Amino acid sequence: MAEMTGQKSWAFLAQNDLGEGEAPLALIFDCDGTLLNSLPVYERAWRATWGELGYSMDHSWYQPRSGFSEDNLISAFEEKIGKKVDHTAISEKIRTHYLANIQHVVEITPIADIARNAYGFFPMAVASCAPRALLVEGLKMVGLFDLFNVVLSVDDIGIPKPAPDIFLKAAEILGVKPEKCLVFEDSVTGFEAAERANMPVIDVVPMVSGNMKD
């Protein structure tokens, strides 16, 4: 592992190895809530969309489900309201609202700095439940997209977290065994997906809490 003195984020990475002093061979990052402070923008998009249909969505309901894929979150809301809706139409509205306000999305610097400092030393991937168009647009806007060897979205895999498929596909493309990959995540669904993929996972929430703004 290359030495980068004076970099707090690199020191954090160095202190979170795979156990028994073994360094990871690849890094895999979630995006929303991990690399990007995008969840408040998503939440406003969801609220606006449901509001147009005459429903309200509370923060207390959304927050524990913020790591869900669009389709899974819509299904959860259907259960809440006791009514079926058009998933495709809802997704289109959500994405329109999100892209109209994407300028409010910013990087989460402690985690973004880990990726920057590791660039060129580790193969790296993004594995996210976000739609591909929104994922790529957000990463490009903040200047992080080119750091990664591969960027995977739920659209590329078809099966959202907590299934392990997206993490396993990222490891396959990177050419690294799953157990040699270190995952950075912020959500319960992401933690479960990493564990099911047999990948060690870092909970970034303690690192990013001071960098998250509504």
Side-chain angles (χ1 to χ4, degrees):
M1 184 179 291
E3 184 174 349
M4 298 186 181
T5 58
Q7 297 285 356
K8 290 183 180 179
S9 58
W10 183 262
F12 173 83
L13 175 59
Q15 292 165 7
N16 287 273
D17 55 35
L18 304 185
E20 299 181 358
E22 184 180 1
L25 298 182
L27 308 180
I28 302 177
F29 296 81
D30 175 51
C31 185
D32 301 310
T34 299
L35 287 167
L36 299 183
N37 185 15
S38 50
L39 296 178
V41 180
Y42 271 116
E43 181 173 352
R44 288 193 289 271
W46 283 107
R47 285 190 174 197
T49 297
W50 293 124
E52 290 170 7
L53 297 175
Y55 301 106
S56 62
M57 186 194 75
D58 296 333
H59 174 75
S60 60
W61 185 90
Y62 172 78
Q63 196 277 330
R65 298 169 177 83
S66 60
F68 284 18
S69 68
E70 278 183 354
D71 198 54
N72 284 352
L73 198 145
I74 294 169
S75 294
F77 201 78
E78 285 179 327
E79 291 184 14
K80 178 180 185 296
I81 63 176
K83 182 179 178 180
K84 293 293 183 181
V85 298
D86 184 333
H87 284 221
T88 299
I90 295 294
S91 290
E92 289 176 356
K93 287 179 177 290
I94 290 293
R95 297 177 191 194
T96 297
H97 281 293
Y98 182 87
L99 289 172
N101 293 280
I102 198 170
Q103 72 274 13
H104 299 296
V105 173
V106 296
E107 71 170 37
I108 299 174
T109 300
I111 311 305
D113 277 350
I114 290 174
R116 289 191 185 96
N117 293 332
Y119 178 67
F121 295 89
F122 292 91
M124 297 192 295
V126 173
S128 170
C129 278
R132 183 163 189 83
L134 308 191
L135 174 64
V136 170
E137 187 68 22
L139 289 170
K140 286 184 174 179
M141 188 185 69
V142 300
L144 295 176
F145 182 83
D146 291 337
L147 297 179
F148 300 98
N149 301 83
V150 60
V151 173
L152 293 176
S153 78
V154 69
D155 296 336
D156 301 309
I157 305 300
I159 305 173
K161 304 167 189 174
D165 300 57
I166 195 166
F167 286 138
L168 294 172
K169 186 64 176 179
E172 178 187 340
I173 294 172
L174 294 176
V176 177
K177 292 180 179 179
E179 63 269 21
K180 302 294 185 181
C181 298
L182 183 61
V183 172
F184 294 84
E185 263 286 359
D186 73 303
S187 71
V188 172
T189 53
F191 302 148
E192 182 178 342
E195 290 166 4
R196 290 171 66 183
N198 195 30
M199 295 180 180
V201 58
I202 297 294
D203 179 355
V204 305
V205 172
M207 294 184 68
V208 307
S209 57
N211 286 261
M212 303 294 275
K213 297 180 175 61
D214 293 333

